[in-house]
Amino acid sequence: MLLSKHCPHTGVVNFYDASEPHIAIGSITKSASAPSDHRFTWRFYALDSAPSGYAADEVSAKAKLVATLCKAERQTLKLH
């Protein structure tokens, strides 16, 4: 299960695995100065390659982050 916490001071939304709610595995940040198709930056921290990307809105950014998480979980399951 994926948990999220929004920081009211920075606007960053951090995402956590329910089994480890103290170490963020991803985040979404908003940039006011970015072009409209790059307003939100998402980052996934749980892989060595640290995938990240841009999205026009927060919903799309979260969908991309979740898709990356699912892909990482499938790859991990193949290794075991």
Side-chain angles (χ1 to χ4, degrees):
M1 185 166 132
L2 197 61
L3 306 173
S4 65
K5 294 180 185 175
H6 176 265
C7 177
H9 304 289
T10 64
V12 174
V13 179
N14 284 306
F15 293 86
Y16 305 84
D17 188 299
S19 65
E20 181 50 78
H22 301 291
I23 299 174
I25 60 170
S27 67
I28 297 175
T29 57
K30 182 178 180 181
S31 173
S33 62
S36 62
D37 60 336
H38 288 116
R39 290 265 180 212
F40 291 84
T41 303
W42 62 271
R43 293 177 177 87
F44 183 67
Y45 308 124
L47 292 175
D48 291 336
S49 60
S52 63
Y54 300 102
D57 56 66
E58 190 171 358
V59 173
S60 299
K62 184 176 179 181
K64 291 179 180 184
L65 179 61
V66 169
T68 302
L69 172 63
C70 290
K71 182 179 177 183
E73 286 178 342
R74 284 193 305 270
Q75 288 175 348
T76 301
L77 290 174
K78 287 180 184 178
L79 296 174
H80 296 295

